Amino acid sequence: MTFDELYAAHYGDLTVQLYAYFGDRQEAQDVVQEAFCRALARWRTVSGYDDPVSWVRRVAWNLAVSRWRRGRTALNFLRRQRPLEGQVEGPSPERVALVAALSTLPPAQRRAMVLHYLADMTIAEIADREGVAEGTVKSWLHRARTALATRLDTEGVRNA
């Protein structure tokens, strides 16, 4: 019997058997196809067996069991993961406006505002980090606050 004859005679039967096992026709077809590919790669040896289709069937079932085990392992892993966190609301319109306004500031003023108000750094710490005098940091903060107040007032955010 040639490989083509073996394939034509037994592909459908093996697929039905594995379909009954998997409950998924595509998976069954994939496993049987893989088993036949392995048989073809070893056809000199497999064709010498008394029952080559038994070898193909055993390989197909082994592949099916391996896939099932991998799927079960993946499912168990997913079950052990933290439950999904609830959806978080998006940023408020005020926050979006503030971030947009901050992006219009010169980089030094923006850094000073973020470090002072969000990172809770003192003026002395910012001056040391930036390598400038404390008066410079105070000037950056004053200018940034003035620019933000103007920008946010014109957008109606502060009075909303």
Side-chain angles (χ1 to χ4, degrees), residues 11 13-15 22 28 48 52 74-75 82 96 102 121 126-127 153:
Y11 176 80
D13 293 339
L14 290 174
T15 301
F22 270 122
L75 187 59
R82 291 185 346 190
V96 171
L102 279 169
M121 291 178 69
I126 297 169
D153 272 343

Side-chain angles (χ1 to χ4, degrees), residues 108-123:
Q109 292 177 18
R110 184 171 48 243
R111 272 194 312 276
M113 291 292 287
V114 169
L115 292 173
H116 188 66
Y117 292 104
L118 298 178
D120 291 325
M121 291 178 69
T122 65
I123 291 173

Side-chain angles (χ1 to χ4, degrees), residues 66-78:
S66 292
R67 284 189 182 200
W68 179 80
R69 285 181 180 154
R70 277 195 306 273
R72 183 185 63 186
T73 300
L75 187 59
N76 287 336
F77 172 78
L78 290 173

